[in-house]
Amino acid sequence: MQAEYLSAATAMEEALPDVLMRIVSELHDVAYLIERIEPQLAGLHGDAVLDAAERMMVLQGIDLAVQKTRGIAEFIDTITASIPDSWIVDVTTALNLVKLADMQKALSNGMRHGHSQPLGKAAGDFEAF
């Protein structure tokens, strides 16, 4: 029984640099998704649109969110280069806190290159807060 528990407990232990690089990939995805919203909002016209000054502030906020997201990704990417592969972390608890199934899968299965989300496909499941 204890051998089964130990093998299950270590199943989600991974090298910290690998985990951090998957987080970097997810942050780049978030920045890209936010960036895709900006042209849509910039092109809105009509009665439902905010006044020009307020719209500009919203667009600048979106741009800042993209810059911050990419900045965090680059920060993590840079410090990850100095972390030894021998540093191991158990990601089980952290993965259980991630609610989006696609993101949970991307963070857990070792994928770290390219986009984790199918960015060219139609929208699918979502979580309403």
Side-chain angles (χ1 to χ4, degrees), residues 34 37-38 41 57-67:
I34 294 170
I37 295 169
E38 196 169 12
L41 292 176
M57 287 176 42
V58 168
L59 293 174
Q60 288 175 339
I62 290 171
D63 188 52
L64 181 60
V66 169
Q67 290 178 32

Side-chain angles (χ1 to χ4, degrees), residues 50-90:
L50 306 171
D51 66 20
E54 193 172 345
R55 184 171 9 144
M56 184 56 68
M57 287 176 42
V58 168
L59 293 174
Q60 288 175 339
I62 290 171
D63 188 52
L64 181 60
V66 169
Q67 290 178 32
K68 284 185 169 192
T69 304
R70 286 202 173 114
I72 292 168
E74 291 304 317
F75 176 81
I76 293 171
D77 189 11
T78 303
I79 63 171
T80 298
S82 65
I83 298 174
D85 286 336
S86 60
W87 287 16
I88 304 295
V89 293
D90 183 355

Side-chain angles (χ1 to χ4, degrees), residues 7 14 113:
S7 65
E14 300 183 49
H113 298 292

